């Protein structure tokens, strides 16, 4: 453990997890809905000084849809999660667990013609809290990414990724900014 960071007394998490889902596939489309429930004992909290929270629960619903039509592919998902402190004796009982957004949405669209593929992805996240008392609120944010891929051969491709093209400033933890606008040009070789 780095000085002033971590907790050498942490115990392993234990939990019970359940998921119920329904999926439909047909005509180049796929839709899915899933409900999940996680119950934790000795939940390890986020942050520089993590502790074991005696009880925590995370319930949620995920909806997703995908379709391929001609040269286009669309993938979309919506996640709603309810992460809570479930320790009745805690001062923060029923508060949201730190650094977890309740809602996340993602839409990705791509177009392919021969060796060229162009795509975009939009992700939106709701606000979250940086602390267990839910006093330090971090705002929600949306990012847009663009990408292009040119297949030079079946095992070789030139790719260009532009991340966070609107240069949206955001934090998922207090004091830690997420990357701003970025660009990555790469030559990718896939070994057979």
């Amino acid at each position: 453990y780095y000085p002033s960071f971590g907790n050498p007394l942490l115990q392993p998490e234990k939990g019970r997890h359940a998921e119920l889902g329904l999926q439909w596939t047909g005509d180049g489309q796929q839709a899915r809905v899933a409900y999940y429930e996680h119950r934790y004992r000795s939940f390890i909290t986020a942050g520089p000084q993590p502790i074991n929270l005696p009880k925590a629960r995370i319930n949620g619903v995920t909806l997703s849809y995908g379709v391929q039509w001609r040269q286009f592919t669309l993938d979309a998902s919506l996640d709603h999660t309810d992460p809570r402190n479930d320790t009745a004796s805690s001062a923060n009982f029923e508060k949201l667990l730190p650094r977890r957004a309740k809602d996340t949405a993602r839409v990705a669209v791509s177009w392919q013609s021969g060796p060229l593929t162009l795509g975009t992805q939009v992700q939106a996240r709701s606000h979250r809290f940086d602390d267990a008392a839910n006093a330090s609120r971090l705002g929600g944010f949306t990012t847009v990414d663009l990408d292009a891929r040119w297949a030079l051969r079946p095992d070789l491709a030139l790719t260009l990724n532009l991340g966070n093209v609107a240069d949206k400033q955001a934090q998922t933890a207090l004091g830690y900014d997420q990357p701003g606008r970025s660009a990555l040009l790469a030559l990718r070789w896939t070994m057979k």
Side-chain angles (χ1 to χ4, degrees):
Y1 294 91
Y2 187 80
S4 301
F5 188 89
N7 179 355
L9 303 175
L10 285 177
Q11 298 298 310
E13 288 181 345
K14 297 178 182 175
R16 293 179 184 243
H17 311 283
E19 181 176 326
L20 178 63
L22 182 63
Q23 181 171 308
W24 171 82
T25 303
D27 298 326
Q29 302 177 71
Q30 183 177 34
R32 184 172 191 268
V33 60
Y35 171 80
Y36 55 89
E37 183 173 295
H38 305 295
R39 302 282 185 212
Y40 294 94
R41 291 186 323 267
S42 297
F43 181 79
I44 299 173
T45 62
Q49 298 294 326
I51 61 168
N52 286 110
L53 190 61
K55 291 183 180 180
R57 66 178 157 79
I58 301 173
N59 300 335
V61 175
T62 299
L63 304 170
S64 63
Y65 175 74
V67 62
Q68 186 155 6
W69 178 73
R70 297 185 183 183
Q71 297 168 295
F72 293 92
T73 301
L74 167 78
D75 288 303
S77 65
L78 177 64
D79 291 290
H80 173 75
T81 191
D82 189 28
R84 300 277 176 177
N85 178 336
D86 207 24
T87 307
S89 61
S90 168
N92 298 316
F93 177 60
E94 287 294 313
K95 300 276 185 175
L96 292 173
L97 295 174
R99 300 183 178 171
R100 293 176 180 260
K102 287 186 76 169
D103 298 301
T104 303
R106 177 185 167 277
V107 176
V109 178
S110 64
W111 171 83
Q112 183 176 4
S113 179
L116 179 64
T117 304
L118 301 174
T120 185
Q121 176 176 272
V122 178
Q123 292 190 60
R125 295 175 180 89
S126 65
H127 76 277
R128 67 191 73 212
F129 293 98
D130 193 59
D131 62 328
N134 292 178
S136 182
R137 186 178 193 268
L138 300 170
F141 60 94
T142 300
T143 58
V144 178
D145 302 327
L146 302 173
D147 57 81
R149 181 179 187 275
W150 183 269
L152 303 169
R153 301 186 325 213
D155 62 340
L156 190 65
L158 183 64
T159 62
L160 174 63
N161 302 97
L162 301 174
N164 192 6
V165 294
D167 201 25
K168 177 68 177 170
Q169 294 182 3
Q171 292 183 352
T172 55
L174 190 63
Y176 291 90
D177 291 336
Q178 293 298 298
R181 184 179 304 121
S182 64
L184 175 64
L185 179 64
L187 183 63
R188 297 188 187 266
W189 174 52
T190 306
M191 294 181 359
K192 292 183 179 183

